[in-house]
Amino acid sequence: MMYAPRSAGAQATITGIVTDATTKRPIAGAMVVVEGTRFVTSGDTGGAYRLTGVPPGPHVVRATRLGYAPARMPIIVPATGAMQVDVELARNALTLRRVTVTADPTSRARGELGTASVIESEAIRNQVATSVAGVLELVPGVQLTSPGLDGTQQVALRAVPVSSGGFALLQSATALNPSAQQLAAFGTQVVLDGVPVSNNANLQSLGPRAELTLPTSAGGGIDLRRIPAATIERVEVIRGIPSARYGDLTHGVVLVDTRAGVFEPLVIARADANTSELAFAGGRLIGRAQTATLTANFARTVTAPGLRDDSRYRLTAGFAHRLALGRRSFDAAPGAGDDAEARVRLDTRIDIFRVFEDNVSQAPNADLASYSHDAGLRLVERGLVRLGGATHLGFTTAFEDVAQHSYTQGPRLRPAMPFTDRPTPGRSIGKYIGGTYVARVHVDGAPKHLYARTEVSHELTTLGAMHEVRAGTELRREWTSGAGYQFDIEFPPQADFNGVQGYDRPRRYDAVPPLVTSALYIDDWMNRTIAGSATLQVQAGLRVDVLHEGTTWLSGARDRVLEPRLNMEFAPVPWLRLRAGAGRLAKAPSLETLYPAPQYNDVVNVNWYANDPAERLAVLTTFVFDPTNPQLGYSMADRAEAGVEMDLGQSGGQLSAVVYRDRETGGVGIRPEPTYLLREHYQLTDSTAGTGRPPSIIEPAISADTVPIIVDRRANNLTLHGSGAEATVTLPELPRLRTRISIQGALERSRLANDGIELATNFGDFQLDQNRRRAPYWLGATRTGTLALLTTRLIHHEPTIGLVVTGTIQHTLRQTLQDEGAADTLGWAGYVTRSGTLTPVPPERRADAVYSDLRIARSGLLLQPQRGPVDWITSVQVSKSLPGSGRLSFYAFNALDKVGTYGTREVATLLYPPRRFGLEVSIPVPLGVRQ
């Protein structure tokens, strides 16, 4: 249902002939479509086709026919008149006169006017990628990474690393607060075959007190390793402002279409020193109105062959069925025109995946080990009903069930300290445990996602303009279950117990309430010819997202947000387009932040540590705090951008440039809240050594004092500012050299601010020392990062022999890290009392002698900016056609084996993955596919 509307009034007509690239003979029955629209037709027996009423401006004509590689022709449609567009089809795409190996910078995502990068199947096949993460390297600002399944893969659009401040880049969710890229990854929506893939119910983390880590994607976006590149047909990355159709995001949308429809079966095999992969995809026609598609993929990566036995593997399988009723012919090309001729279209998909990551124990660190095992089933049903010539009704329902099993172990050293495993508030007799031990933690969750969308679209002409209006509803319910966070309480993953803080307790996930959201939206895309060849396109929409407080969509609203969005494009002439957009986006909090685990504090009342273990006595009082925040709600992002696009003549050259400014407010972090506990002290009886039994306490307590503590409260306390510029230039082909050059540049800046407080590193000493009456605190720091990337691709093409050589060079031109926050001995903002009260102190008073005990240096900040080195990395790929539609490819990632630079106090770290050589072969399978 997603397409560009037709222009009102003046109309253009596209005619042409589809021929065989080798024999030059007409091809009968080829499907021809204007990408992203409903303009679709079939060629006659002489290969001729005709499309009328096509809107003016830049478009891509795509022709497909079973047994031939799809062909794409970028064109500029005039406001009136007719144009001839002849298309050649080849048995192998590498023998076409033009091969696309980069993202199209001026194409539009279907139904979208915002800034986007469109990556077609031919570009995906020419990209060295194991998963969709490798495909996204064709987007400006994305850094090159080695192909494989080495670690968790996420995408963070328009966000760069900032100073860690002790937090790792795209770290697991055990950190106190997320990084800028983790926030951006969580706010980037991935839509797979029309259904959002969510990470909101992923609870595979150890919490803020953990001293161990898990290999998990919790707290960020989904792990992109679950989507193989070999089975992808098309990727659309909306980097700008998406239409009101898309919600639950703050940074952008990645639309992924996997292969479906009728196409020649292929087997794809790939191998390098670390990764081996085998994939299959094929589709056939059943009867006159149905198609069936089967895809499968297996990949395995050994991270350090010959050194360690750590490995990762992925197994996926998918089945897609399409039923189209009430049409003259069947569209064999996935995504071509959305089967515009069908009155009823039903799509059924069943997908399964398994992504396993195993880090085995091995000498000399035999006690270190971890794994992360994710497996899931996804059922999708989509329908499109043509109610009339101008009205369509669409619906989508989906259910995803995932099983997540994570494990980690590591050595811990704990002094002999009193210990209690009491799960409820109150006083209890503890015991002493100390020494070296191995902490073992299992985290088992079962996230589930129920999704439904209903949408009506209607075309109409009013006030001289053609409108495409979409209105719809969206319902989501996400929840989890399972054994949850499990460990032996006597050997916890936290060894840093000071007699106050307390250990986490095991927690099941069955009682965690669900995340329930709903949305209403309306969107209008208007296209109008102003004068002559000038055109104006406007896409405006409004979306309302509601976060419900109960377990169903009938419950009240916990939070709601109104999201207006606007994109405009003015083309004074067909080859020049001026663009601008602004809007508001919103992201729901995750289950982990809505319903965190209880916080335990165990205060030692008696610590009688006798030489004889039988005579020892420990008495502890357990306090339990609920760190949830009833006011926690949506994160919101206000975004604006402006840009220009130019077509550089008839040779296929293009220029696209955009500047943007984003501001995300209400990002979810942790706000430390000081409070206090009451600690009672008791006298003892029978405390003489040698009795063989512990002493007894005398009731009531003889005294009590206060112990300050910190409650880690979840809050919308993070602000992420982003700004930058992106540009893509595709130069015309050099005819004699058969070479084209494509250049992508991105200059991006991220600024992450925290409105909470930060405490001194010796706060634990302050808790225990009754003689210390106060401790300093600082206001939250602001951490910034800048990154400038220039990616140049040289594409040499010899169509007569089916050869394509692609060389990629990525320069890191600028990388800076800087912290904004006072770090000197007068930079503190105030102090915490023993009763947990925050007392601010004016800057002019902080040098007074009365505050001399508070004047200590702040830790965790960069004392001076770091600047990264200017460096570059290069990769090469050579592809050669094989009989039929097969191909053979050789690739060399980081061909010169550049290492990069290890960071120092003044220089930011810039390290490149090691060199990898590999081969990939794609072989057609003659299974008698019917059309």
Side-chain angles (χ1 to χ4, degrees):
M1 293 191 303
M2 298 174 289
Y3 61 97
R6 292 172 293 183
S7 61
Q11 296 181 346
T13 300
I14 301 176
T15 60
I17 299 177
V18 182
T19 59
D20 187 296
T22 302
T23 66
K24 307 304 180 183
R25 294 178 179 176
I27 299 176
M31 185 69 66
V32 181
V33 60
V34 179
E35 284 189 354
T37 76
R38 293 190 186 280
F39 295 98
V40 58
T41 188
S42 298
D44 59 20
T45 56
Y49 72 92
R50 180 183 179 90
L51 293 166
T52 60
V54 181
H59 291 288
V60 175
V61 171
R62 176 185 174 111
T64 57
R65 184 68 167 86
L66 187 64
Y68 290 86
R72 303 174 73 245
M73 295 282 293
I75 61 173
I76 301 176
V77 178
T80 59
M83 66 182 304
Q84 179 86 10
V85 180
D86 295 329
V87 185
E88 292 183 347
L89 297 183
R91 296 288 178 177
N92 194 302
L94 298 182
T95 62
L96 289 170
R97 284 183 295 178
R98 178 181 174 91
V99 176
T100 302
V101 301
T102 60
D104 192 334
T106 61
S107 285
R108 300 287 177 262
R110 286 166 293 185
E112 301 292 313
L113 192 57
T115 301
S117 297
V118 177
I119 307 171
E120 287 289 342
S121 58
E122 193 57 36
I124 296 172
R125 305 294 175 263
N126 279 284
Q127 180 72 0
V128 181
T130 307
S131 71
V132 68
V135 176
L136 296 178
E137 293 174 8
L138 296 173
V139 176
V142 177
Q143 293 177 290
L144 301 182
T145 57
S146 57
L149 307 174
D150 300 68
T152 300
Q153 297 174 356
Q154 299 178 348
V155 56
L157 297 177
R158 291 180 172 177
V160 299
V162 300
S163 164
S164 64
F167 310 136
L169 173 63
L170 282 178
Q171 65 232 4
S172 70
T174 58
L176 289 178
N177 281 305
S179 66
Q181 284 197 301
Q182 190 178 7
L183 268 182
F186 185 62
T188 299
Q189 180 72 264
V190 177
V191 179
L192 179 61
D193 294 320
V195 178
V197 184
S198 174
N199 208 37
N200 291 337
N202 187 345
L203 298 183
Q204 302 297 108
S205 71
L206 302 182
R209 291 184 174 183
E211 299 167 14
L212 301 178
T213 59
L214 285 176
T216 173
S217 63
I222 69 164
D223 189 348
L224 298 178
R225 291 180 296 182
R226 62 178 285 186
I227 307 177
T231 58
I232 296 175
E233 179 65 26
R234 178 182 171 104
V235 177
E236 300 172 346
V237 184
I238 305 174
R239 312 191 312 275
I241 293 87
S243 69
R245 192 172 196 265
Y246 297 105
D248 198 39
L249 74 161
T250 51
H251 279 76
V253 188
V254 178
L255 304 168
V256 181
D257 290 339
T258 58
R259 305 203 69 178
V262 180
F263 56 93
E264 187 177 33
L266 289 174
V267 172
I268 302 172
R270 187 164 67 85
D272 59 36
N274 297 72
T275 300
S276 56
E277 183 176 8
L278 183 65
F280 169 82
R284 65 175 296 162
L285 181 65
I286 303 174
R288 296 178 58 85
Q290 301 181 68
T291 64
T293 307
L294 181 65
T295 60
N297 181 273
F298 175 80
R300 182 175 184 266
T301 293
V302 180
T303 57
L307 299 177
R308 293 187 56 84
D309 296 327
D310 297 349
S311 64
R312 295 90 170 91
Y313 81 81
R314 174 189 64 212
L315 175 65
T316 67
F319 173 77
H321 175 268
R322 172 170 292 182
L323 173 65
L325 302 175
R327 56 173 302 164
R328 297 188 301 272
S329 61
F330 202 94
D331 175 18
D338 284 325
D339 290 323
E341 297 180 7
R343 288 189 176 276
V344 178
R345 190 196 71 194
L346 297 175
D347 287 300
T348 303
R349 287 182 177 269
I350 303 175
D351 298 299
I352 62 173
F353 77 91
R354 301 185 71 175
V355 177
F356 282 14
E357 177 174 337
D358 294 306
N359 303 305
V360 300
S361 60
Q362 189 168 325
N365 300 313
D367 292 333
L368 293 174
S370 64
Y371 66 71
S372 176
H373 294 173
D374 291 358
L377 170 67
R378 190 168 183 262
L379 306 174
V380 178
E381 184 68 35
R382 303 178 68 191
L384 177 64
V385 180
R386 183 153 56 101
L387 302 178
T391 305
H392 295 77
L393 171 65
F395 66 86
T396 301
T397 58
F399 176 72
E400 184 175 57
D401 191 0
V402 180
Q404 298 179 322
H405 302 284
S406 304
Y407 172 80
T408 186
Q409 70 175 48
R412 301 287 93 188
L413 175 62
R414 181 169 62 186
M417 294 290 292
F419 165 82
T420 178
D421 58 359
R422 185 184 180 97
T424 58
R427 196 177 69 190
S428 59
I429 302 297
K431 52 186 174 181
Y432 289 90
I433 299 177
T436 302
Y437 66 96
V438 178
R440 297 179 173 86
V441 184
H442 291 265
V443 185
D444 298 326
K448 298 172 178 60
H449 182 198
L450 181 63
Y451 177 85
R453 179 200 296 272
T454 303
E455 182 179 273
V456 176
S457 64
H458 180 71
E459 294 181 35
L460 70 156
T461 302
T462 179
L463 300 178
M466 185 66 192
H467 296 260
E468 160 64 15
V469 180
R470 298 180 301 191
T473 64
E474 192 177 50
L475 303 176
R476 301 176 67 162
R477 190 178 193 270
E478 301 168 74
W479 69 101
T480 191
S481 60
Y485 185 30
Q486 313 157 67
F487 58 91
D488 187 338
I489 188 63
E490 295 190 5
F491 304 99
Q494 310 97 13
D496 188 15
F497 173 60
N498 63 359
V500 175
Q501 182 168 299
Y503 300 118
D504 288 341
R505 309 295 200 261
R507 179 199 188 197
R508 291 192 61 86
Y509 289 160
D510 304 87
V512 177
L515 173 66
V516 181
T517 61
S518 62
L520 296 172
Y521 63 88
I522 185 169
D523 181 73
D524 179 20
W525 187 342
M526 181 272 289
N527 189 320
R528 178 171 182 171
T529 301
I530 299 177
S533 61
T535 60
L536 174 67
Q537 295 189 62
V538 178
Q539 186 172 30
L542 183 65
R543 181 183 178 95
V544 180
D545 277 300
V546 179
L547 175 62
H548 294 273
E549 59 185 1
T551 61
T552 69
W553 296 288
L554 299 178
S555 59
R558 173 182 178 137
D559 192 16
R560 62 175 63 87
V561 61
L562 193 65
E563 303 160 62
R565 302 177 192 176
L566 175 67
N567 283 290
M568 302 179 64
E569 178 183 293
F570 175 63
V573 290
W575 54 267
L576 175 63
R577 297 170 295 281
L578 307 176
R579 308 178 56 251
R584 169 165 289 185
L585 314 176
K587 180 74 179 73
S590 67
L591 282 182
E592 180 186 18
T593 56
L594 281 172
Y595 307 107
Q599 178 176 312
Y600 294 86
N601 288 83
D602 301 315
V603 174
V604 178
N605 306 113
V606 175
N607 184 7
W608 182 261
Y609 193 80
N611 291 330
D612 184 355
E615 298 178 2
R616 297 171 183 170
L617 175 65
V619 179
L620 301 94
T621 301
T622 298
F623 298 84
V624 183
F625 293 89
D626 183 2
T628 60
N629 182 355
Q631 281 73 48
L632 192 71
Y634 282 103
S635 305
M636 291 181 290
D638 293 306
R639 314 188 68 191
E641 66 173 17
V644 60
E645 294 175 355
M646 297 177 62
D647 295 287
L648 306 179
Q650 299 297 322
S651 56
Q654 296 174 317
L655 167 66
S656 173
V658 62
V659 294
Y660 67 89
R661 182 176 295 274
D662 305 333
R663 183 174 184 266
E664 178 184 351
T665 57
V668 180
I670 289 181
R671 176 182 289 127
E673 292 187 358
T675 185
Y676 72 96
L677 306 177
L678 191 64
R679 176 171 53 187
E680 297 177 321
H681 299 272
Y682 296 89
Q683 286 186 323
L684 302 178
T685 62
D686 303 325
S687 58
T688 305
T691 62
R693 62 179 184 275
S696 301
I697 63 174
I698 300 175
E699 298 276 8
I702 59 170
S703 64
D705 56 31
T706 59
V707 179
I709 65 164
I710 297 296
V711 177
D712 295 326
R713 184 82 61 195
R714 275 64 176 175
N716 298 104
N717 66 329
L718 302 179
T719 301
L720 177 60
H721 294 260
S723 60
E726 300 165 343
T728 300
V729 180
T730 301
L731 299 178
E733 183 181 70
L734 303 174
R736 293 188 178 182
L737 299 179
R738 302 290 305 173
T739 300
R740 287 183 292 117
I741 300 176
S742 176
I743 303 173
Q744 290 180 339
L747 173 61
E748 302 175 336
R749 184 173 188 264
S750 294
R751 184 173 181 267
L752 181 63
N754 184 333
D755 70 0
I757 64 170
E758 295 180 12
L759 300 169
T761 55
N762 62 350
F763 186 79
D765 297 335
F766 166 62
Q767 289 179 301
L768 299 179
D769 188 354
Q770 287 295 313
N771 294 322
R772 297 182 58 182
R773 311 309 303 172
R774 59 192 179 185
Y777 72 86
W778 291 263
L779 299 180
T782 298
R783 296 178 167 88
T784 63
T786 302
L787 183 64
L789 290 178
L790 183 68
T791 305
T792 304
R793 291 181 173 87
L794 290 85
I795 305 102
H796 176 72
H797 185 204
E798 295 289 347
T800 55
I801 59 175
L803 177 69
V804 175
V805 180
T806 306
T808 303
I809 304 174
Q810 186 172 86
H811 282 84
T812 301
L813 302 178
R814 179 180 175 86
Q815 181 183 10
T816 61
L817 300 174
Q818 185 174 358
D819 288 345
E820 301 173 9
D824 58 79
T825 57
L826 294 179
W828 48 277
Y831 58 86
V832 184
T833 68
R834 297 209 64 82
S835 62
T837 302
L838 294 178
T839 304
V841 176
E844 63 273 11
R845 295 287 313 279
R846 295 172 191 169
D848 294 354
V850 68
Y851 299 123
S852 60
D853 59 313
L854 302 176
R855 293 196 286 269
I856 61 176
R858 183 181 190 176
S859 61
L861 290 184
L862 287 176
L863 299 181
Q864 57 187 4
Q866 288 184 336
R867 182 179 294 272
V870 176
D871 209 339
W872 55 276
I873 184 176
T874 184
S875 296
V876 178
Q877 182 176 11
V878 180
S879 297
K880 174 69 176 66
S881 63
L882 296 179
S885 56
R887 74 172 64 193
L888 176 67
S889 299
F890 165 81
Y891 60 87
F893 173 82
N894 191 4
L896 302 181
D897 201 20
K898 303 203 69 175
V899 176
T901 303
Y902 290 92
T904 65
R905 298 185 68 176
E906 295 82 20
V907 179
T909 301
L910 177 61
L911 297 178
Y912 294 119
R915 176 172 54 194
R916 289 191 185 179
F917 296 107
L919 285 173
E920 179 179 307
V921 61
S922 176
I923 303 174
V925 181
L927 295 180
V929 177
R930 298 171 51 235
Q931 182 179 15

